[in-house]
């Protein structure tokens, strides 16, 4: 069957080179070969995340570590900052883990603002908070640095940050931000196959985790730290993913991180320009748009002609590209175009050409 190229916001297209790396023969995960592999990528990951802490490799999708962070760090009550499908879900996950949890809900498409968080933290009820940097369902990015600045005033609150669809596309310096957990699943901006999550934790987070009696085993941060210190993982990892990650990190540093950030900015601007050319406006509040994907109002809010997002999706798919027809409660009124991963101006132009031809048929 002909491959339909992915322009949905995850999983994204995986390169031939990455697949080749993924398919190398297995090695033992307690052997020197695996330790050497992790030892090679550890400093690259630390540079990427802007940290002196060890980076951890979890064989799970992002939700594993998102849930694990709560089990390791929330003892009193967690504040769930909610602005879209993924961030809203985190409240539900906290409750399912038996945690005391409270919503800080803003309308979908709005960012989370530091003063909103501060008003909640000032009550003194919270020992942790969850924040999604780039809410993928709405294409909205919250001001992470301004929010992280609150950590100075509330040092005992664990700041758990999901950068699933922004890590590697936007500079995020863990140590400088002073946050406690930073995580990303690799099927988004990393452009690896789904199944691996990269994360790190602050010394304060590790100290808190050590006192959590019901933190479980699979996502035990203390185990991750102990094993990472010896270039290993607590349990048998997806070794294929680690091979692929090693290959990908070499790609990142060959391109240069700054160039990678600039490329995402550029291809994202091109997508916004495409939307403007067709009279569409964007779903997120102005000034808070994601730079890895574009969430477009399909006309309903633009005041222009309303296009059928499902039809647009089908016409584009017939030309070999998969776009997203909206997520959760904004399915049908928005569509999303991803520029994350390996996309270049050339590959994005091929997508716009397919979209243009589809638009002409609508
Ligand atoms: C995709 C996504 C997730 C969930 O990732 P899974 O791989 O399905 O666990 C969480 N947060 C954000 C921001 C995402 O984009």
């Amino acid at each position: 069957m002909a491959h339909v190229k992915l322009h949905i916001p995850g999983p994204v297209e995986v390169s031939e080179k990455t697949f080749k790396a993924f398919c190398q023969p297995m090695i033992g995960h307690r052997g020197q070969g695996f330790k050497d592999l992790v030892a090679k990528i550890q400093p690259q990951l630390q540079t990427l995340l802007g940290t002196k802490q060890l980076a951890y490799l979890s064989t799970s999708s992002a939700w594993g570590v998102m849930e694990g962070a709560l089990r390791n760090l929330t003892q009193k009550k967690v504040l769930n900052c909610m602005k879209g499908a993924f961030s809203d879900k985190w409240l539900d996950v906290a409750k399912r883990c038996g945690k005391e949890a409270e919503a800080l809900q803003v309308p979908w498409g709005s960012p989370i603002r530091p003063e909103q968080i501060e008003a909640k933290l000032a009550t003194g009820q919270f020992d942790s908070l969850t924040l999604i940097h780039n809410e993928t369902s709405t294409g909205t990015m919250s001001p992470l640095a301004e929010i992280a600045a609150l950590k100075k005033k509330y040092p005992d609150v664990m700041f758990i940050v999901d950068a699933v669809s922004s890590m590697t596309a936007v500079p995020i310096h863990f140590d400088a931000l002073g946050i406690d957990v930073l995580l990303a699943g690799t099927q988004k901006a990393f452009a690896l196959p789904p199944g691996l999550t990269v994360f790190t934790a602050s010394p304060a987070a590790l100290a808190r985790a050590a006192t959590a009696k019901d933190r479980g085993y699979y996502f035990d941060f203390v185990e991750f730290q102990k094993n990472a210190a010896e270039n290993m993982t607590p349990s048998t990892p997806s070794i294929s993913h680690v091979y692929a990650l090693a290959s990908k990190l070499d790609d990142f540093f060959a391109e240069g991180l700054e160039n990678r950030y600039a490329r995402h900015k550029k291809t994202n601007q091109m997508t916004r320009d495409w939307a403007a050319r067709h009279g569409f406006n964007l779903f997120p509040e102005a000034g808070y748009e994601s730079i890895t994907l574009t969430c477009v109002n399909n006309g309903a809010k633009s005041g222009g002609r309303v296009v059928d997002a499902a039809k647009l999706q089908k016409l584009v798919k017939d030309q070999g590209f998969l776009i997203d027809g909206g997520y959760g409660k904004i399915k049908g009124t928005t569509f999303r175009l991803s520029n994350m991963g390996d996309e270049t101006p050339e590959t994005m132009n091929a997508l716009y050409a397919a979209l243009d031809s589809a638009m002409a048929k609508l």
Side-chain angles (χ1 to χ4, degrees):
M1 214 177 70
H3 174 61
V4 178
K5 191 187 168 203
L6 300 182
H7 274 281
I8 53 173
V12 305
E13 200 62 17
V14 175
S15 73
E16 288 290 326
K17 177 173 183 264
T18 302
F19 272 128
K20 253 194 170 153
F22 194 89
C23 290
Q24 292 171 84
M26 281 307 109
I27 51 177
H29 67 293
R30 301 291 179 217
Q32 197 55 43
F34 183 77
K35 289 185 187 180
D36 289 346
L37 180 62
V38 175
K40 174 182 178 279
I41 65 175
Q42 182 61 251
Q44 293 175 311
L45 286 170
Q46 288 174 311
T47 302
L48 180 69
L49 304 185
T51 186
K52 290 196 168 66
Q53 294 297 110
L54 292 173
Y56 311 135
L57 304 171
S58 170
T59 297
S60 67
S61 81
W63 274 116
V65 176
M66 290 163 78
E67 174 173 321
L70 298 169
R71 299 190 63 192
N72 278 270
L73 303 179
T74 301
Q75 291 175 9
K76 213 158 74 179
K77 190 173 181 184
V78 61
L79 178 68
N80 300 109
C81 303
M82 293 155 52
K83 58 170 172 160
F86 293 106
S87 47
D88 290 9
K89 181 81 190 163
W90 222 339
L91 172 73
D92 177 46
V93 172
K95 288 180 174 164
R96 290 190 197 200
C97 290
K99 301 297 180 185
E100 284 283 318
E102 188 172 318
L104 164 53
Q105 179 84 64
V106 303
W108 283 29
S110 292
I112 301 284
R113 293 188 162 80
E115 54 275 20
Q116 296 165 327
I117 295 179
E118 163 123 58
K120 293 279 190 185
L121 295 188
T123 65
Q125 293 176 37
F126 301 97
D127 67 350
S128 47
L129 69 81
T130 63
L131 176 78
I132 291 189
H133 178 217
N134 189 57
E135 174 52 67
T136 317
S137 63
T138 65
T140 308
M141 219 147 61
S142 286
L144 179 56
E146 292 167 41
I147 292 168
L150 289 171
K151 177 74 192 174
K152 280 204 183 71
K153 200 162 164 192
Y154 300 97
D156 295 336
V157 178
M158 295 289 124
F159 282 46
I160 305 165
V161 178
D162 161 329
V164 173
S165 57
S166 54
M167 189 187 285
T168 85
V170 186
I172 305 173
H173 301 289
F174 182 74
D175 291 354
L177 287 168
I179 55 179
D180 297 289
V181 176
L182 179 66
L183 68 104
T186 55
Q187 80 274 27
K188 308 268 169 98
F190 275 89
L192 293 177
L196 185 75
T197 294
V198 170
F199 73 110
T200 192
S202 68
L206 292 171
R208 170 81 59 88
T211 67
K213 289 191 183 67
D214 54 357
R215 62 184 189 270
Y217 168 68
Y218 195 73
F219 297 108
D220 179 353
F221 285 8
V222 179
E223 286 284 349
F224 272 97
Q225 170 63 25
K226 205 171 77 191
N227 280 276
E230 297 185 50
N231 296 313
M232 290 191 296
T233 51
S235 52
T236 317
S238 170
I239 293 164
S240 305
H241 275 96
V242 185
Y243 281 138
L245 177 61
S247 164
K248 207 77 221 177
L249 285 163
D250 284 344
D251 294 349
F252 293 172
F253 287 97
E255 179 180 15
L257 293 180
E258 292 305 322
N259 293 334
R260 185 176 174 79
Y261 304 144
R263 176 166 58 75
H264 279 89
K265 224 173 174 173
K266 165 139 205 218
T267 50
N268 185 255
Q269 186 57 51
M270 289 170 67
T271 306
R272 294 186 201 184
D273 293 346
W274 174 86
R277 273 204 302 284
H278 286 276
F280 294 122
N281 59 18
L282 307 185
F283 183 79
E285 194 176 313
Y288 298 97
E289 300 90 345
S290 165
I291 70 116
T292 59
L293 74 137
T294 305
C295 185
V296 183
N297 287 319
N298 69 351
K301 265 211 229 166
S302 313
R305 181 169 61 115
V306 179
V307 301
D308 182 335
K311 243 187 203 160
L312 176 69
Q313 189 183 33
K314 161 110 192 17
L315 289 168
V316 173
K317 192 173 176 189
D318 290 344
Q319 299 172 75
F321 300 92
L322 188 66
I323 63 166
D324 173 86
Y327 194 99
K329 65 185 182 195
I330 54 173
K331 189 179 177 74
T333 58
T334 57
F335 59 94
R336 296 180 301 165
L337 307 171
S338 165
N339 62 294
M340 63 182 94
D342 299 334
E343 303 306 334
T344 64
E346 292 69 39
T347 65
M348 291 305 291
N349 277 328
L351 173 68
Y352 308 139
L355 283 162
D356 285 341
S357 133
M359 287 294 292
K361 290 192 193 120
L362 280 171

